[in-house]
Amino acid sequence: MRIAIASDTASTAELEAALGDHGVLCDAVEAIADLPSVVALSGPYDLVLLRIAQPLRSALPAIRDLRRRGMTLPVIVTCGGNPAPEEEEAVLHAGADDVLFHPLRVSVLHARMQALSRRARGYACAELVCGNVTLDQEQHAVMVDGRRVNLTAREFDFLETLMLHKGVLLTKERFMTRLYADSEAPDSKIVDVFVCKLRRKLTAAGAAEIIRTVWGRGYVVFEPTEAAIEAARKVRQPDAEPAPRGWVRRSTRLMHATA
């Protein structure tokens, strides 16, 4: 997940680091007033996160500008203090999707971010399903017919990106901007490597083909036919060793408002 994050006072460095533990790439915007332009020019983003001190209504101009520009991506506002209910209502009416109050647990914030992001794409719960492949965002696991497939954290992120955009062609550039910070991005050929590894592991587990190559353009996840699913199950290889427990570190830190 790649998000744009802005604060009206305090630095967001600590929050960015905590969300980074969950695989979230954060692009910090120095001034909230610049947020709509940054989102329009530097996206695509999965979500916008605004960290507001007081008053809460100071978030209204940026949110309204985002919506006036036709941007439909989810917006979460976190706030310190005890704002008046009227302010909270105004922020939601302006176009925010959620308002959270400090102190808040990073794992809960991340879960809310995932929920809003997937619902924006038509998914109702943490289980993303395509054919006989299930990706569970809560457990950070991938199963084929209920059997766990041992993927690396990066392979999981790659497949999650595809499944969240089922039926949408994703270019290599789209993958790179969503999964890597500019300073650490490898050659875009790494995308082809991930596709090869994912296909091999899913096929060995008995999954029908769900990743289609659009030559010269990118990749897309598609829904296989029932016949394709049954044929894939017949060539399933013996079960591999189960994925080790605790293979993904999750942050349990509490984030507090800065006075």
Side-chain angles (χ1 to χ4, degrees), residues 20 30 52 56-57 78-80 101 109 126 131 141 159 188 198 214 240 256:
E30 291 186 4
I52 303 298
L56 183 56
R57 62 178 175 271
T78 70
C79 181
F101 301 95
L109 172 60
L159 183 60
S188 62
L198 281 171
V214 181
H256 296 269

Side-chain angles (χ1 to χ4, degrees), residues 54-112:
Q54 287 288 350
L56 183 56
R57 62 178 175 271
S58 63
L60 290 174
I63 296 172
R64 287 171 176 159
D65 195 358
L66 281 169
R67 298 318 187 200
R68 274 196 298 266
R69 295 177 185 229
M71 301 178 193
T72 59
L73 75 171
V75 175
I76 294 179
V77 180
T78 70
C79 181
N82 295 293
E86 293 78 10
E87 287 188 286
E88 186 177 355
E89 291 173 11
V91 167
L92 292 169
H93 286 310
D97 296 278
D98 205 353
V99 179
L100 306 176
F101 301 95
H102 295 278
L104 58 91
R105 192 173 293 278
V106 175
S107 58
V108 175
L109 172 60
H110 182 239
R112 287 177 181 267

Side-chain angles (χ1 to χ4, degrees), residues 1 7 11 19 35 38-39 46 103 107 120 122 134 189 255:
M1 177 182 291
S7 173
S11 168
L19 290 172
L35 183 67
V38 171
V39 172
D46 296 293
S107 58
T134 299
K189 291 180 180 179
M255 305 301 296

